Amino acid sequence: MHWISSFLLLLSFSLSFGFPAKVIRISDGDTIVVENLKTHEKVKVRIWGIDTPEKFYGSKLYREAKKCGVEPETIHYLGLLASKHAHEYLYPGEVVEVIPKGYGHYGRLLGKVIVDGEDYGLLMIEDGYSCVYWRTAPKEYREAMKEAEQEKKGLWELKHNVMHCLCY
């Protein structure tokens, strides 16, 4: 039993440190693929604390469309815009810092991504292109989303009712 607690302590300790990574691909607004520059492994990173509208047609996109009472194309379009906005901060070849926060439902690394010294997830929320992920989002993220909504930034200006449905 002692080895399990030692392993968990080591795991939590190792997750608290970031690693430099080179962006390989921006999958969508909340998922990127990077090369860990320490291990040279290719890693799919789900951005911790945020959730952007779906850009890929799949069960989640259809669930979101049904929940919000809109056509799937509306969700897809918002997802494309969020993904396009992600390219304003990230580009292939760029070096970022990934701070691991655990692993998500699909086995992807959950991580905070620091680009040019700034928290990418927070930037996407502040600009109005992302919802907060309520289970993990810090107060700073929640406050930034409310401000983006009030100021009608990004997707909040374009489709306020849909963003409100997706984000709350």
Side-chain angles (χ1 to χ4, degrees):
M1 194 66 162
H2 175 65
W3 70 270
I4 293 174
S5 59
S6 296
F7 172 75
L8 292 175
L9 180 63
L10 180 63
L11 179 63
S12 66
F13 183 72
S14 67
L15 288 176
S16 65
F17 292 101
F19 59 86
K22 181 171 64 174
V23 175
I24 296 172
R25 183 175 78 248
I26 297 97
S27 298
D28 60 21
D30 59 27
T31 307
I32 63 174
V33 178
V34 300
E35 176 190 351
N36 180 328
L37 294 176
K38 289 182 178 177
T39 65
H40 301 288
E41 291 176 280
K42 186 174 163 182
V43 182
K44 191 172 205 175
V45 180
R46 171 69 165 80
I47 309 301
W48 176 83
I50 73 168
D51 191 23
T52 60
E54 290 301 305
K55 122 177 179 183
F56 299 107
Y57 283 96
S59 60
K60 186 173 183 220
L61 183 144
Y62 289 106
R63 273 194 317 275
E64 288 178 349
K66 184 176 180 179
K67 172 187 165 194
C68 296
V70 296
E71 294 296 319
E73 291 75 20
T74 301
I75 303 295
H76 172 72
Y77 180 64
L78 295 176
L80 289 173
L81 292 175
S83 184
K84 181 179 180 189
H85 191 72
H87 285 81
E88 292 189 23
Y89 294 110
L90 303 169
Y91 57 87
E94 181 175 25
V95 175
V96 298
E97 180 183 5
V98 176
I99 302 170
K101 294 288 195 175
Y103 288 89
H105 180 69
Y106 299 105
R108 295 175 293 188
L109 177 69
L110 297 174
K112 204 178 233 197
V113 172
I114 307 300
V115 58
D116 295 329
E118 298 202 59
D119 179 345
Y120 165 76
L122 182 58
L123 292 169
M124 287 292 283
I125 294 167
E126 289 173 339
D127 292 350
Y129 286 88
S130 178
C131 301
V132 301
Y133 191 73
W134 289 100
R135 290 184 199 153
T136 59
K139 183 178 179 181
E140 177 184 25
Y141 282 28
R142 294 189 303 269
E143 289 173 354
M145 188 181 79
K146 287 177 185 173
E147 188 175 309
E149 178 184 11
Q150 289 169 351
E151 294 179 9
K152 294 180 173 54
K153 291 183 174 180
L155 301 179
W156 289 101
E157 178 182 19
L158 185 64
K159 289 285 185 183
H160 185 275
N161 61 329
V162 178
M163 284 300 287
H164 193 282
C165 172
L166 293 173
C167 294
Y168 290 99

